[in-house]
Amino acid sequence: MYLEIQQLKKLGLNKSQIARRLGISRNTVYKYINMTPEEFEDMLEHMEVRQKKLDCIKEKLITWLKQYPDISSAQIHDWIKERYPDLTVGESTVRCYVSQLRKEYSIPKIKTTRQYEAIEDPPMGQQMQAGRKTIG
């Protein structure tokens, strides 16, 4: 992305045009547009050594994903909150981390589809609807 931004900058495109062309936010363009190659390299090195919040339970997450390949990241987030109350982490962080683990350990998300079947309406007088009207 850094190289693409630099190439489009050399072509004379402004920040908004670069953002639209690459499908990224202008903030991302601002972040990289005036960065030197050395600064970009330093940033990449820093990102590689940075520890992630969920690294402390990585093995447990891998076990869950292998045991329940159809589990969603939202369910994993709930399990983390239940089993590790001291570990505060956002749902989007869990989603990204789980996605990364699935790629890294080749654990595809198995999608199950529900089977629905239409049933005939029962005869008149055999069916009833009930509702509650709230007056507020």
Side-chain angles (χ1 to χ4, degrees):
M1 183 183 326
Y2 170 77
L3 292 175
E4 289 177 292
I5 291 171
Q6 296 303 319
Q7 289 171 345
L8 294 173
K9 178 184 174 185
K10 284 181 185 175
L11 291 175
L13 274 69
N14 66 34
K15 294 170 182 85
S16 295
Q17 291 170 321
I18 293 171
R20 278 194 303 274
R21 186 86 179 252
L22 297 178
I24 58 177
S25 72
R26 282 181 306 172
N27 289 342
T28 303
V29 175
Y30 286 117
K31 179 178 177 180
Y32 294 116
I33 201 154
N34 294 320
M35 192 180 281
T36 67
E38 292 79 20
E39 290 171 331
F40 180 68
E41 205 170 299
D42 288 344
M43 185 189 77
L44 287 178
E45 286 176 15
H46 175 71
M47 288 175 69
E48 289 175 9
V49 295
R50 189 177 73 193
Q51 186 160 354
K52 297 181 172 103
K53 272 187 166 183
L54 293 171
D55 282 347
C56 61
I57 59 167
K58 180 178 181 177
E59 295 305 317
K60 188 63 172 173
L61 296 177
I62 293 168
T63 302
W64 288 346
L65 289 171
K66 287 181 178 177
Q67 195 170 10
Y68 308 103
D70 61 334
I71 194 169
S72 70
S73 58
Q75 288 170 306
I76 289 178
H77 183 250
D78 289 342
W79 286 5
I80 291 170
K81 287 194 303 187
E82 290 170 8
R83 292 166 174 83
Y84 303 95
D86 295 337
L87 182 60
T88 55
V89 63
E91 200 168 334
S92 62
T93 302
V94 174
R95 189 172 43 251
C96 291
Y97 196 81
V98 165
S99 177
Q100 178 189 348
L101 288 179
R102 284 187 185 281
K103 285 179 192 170
E104 187 177 339
Y105 292 90
S106 301
I107 308 169
K109 168 94 163 135
I110 296 175
K111 296 180 181 177
T112 56
T113 56
R114 287 184 161 180
Q115 297 295 325
Y116 292 98
E117 180 179 317
I119 59 169
E120 289 185 33
D121 285 336
M124 295 293 279
Q126 299 269 328
Q127 177 178 328
M128 179 175 77
Q129 271 188 336
R132 184 172 75 179
K133 186 175 182 180
T134 305
I135 301 173

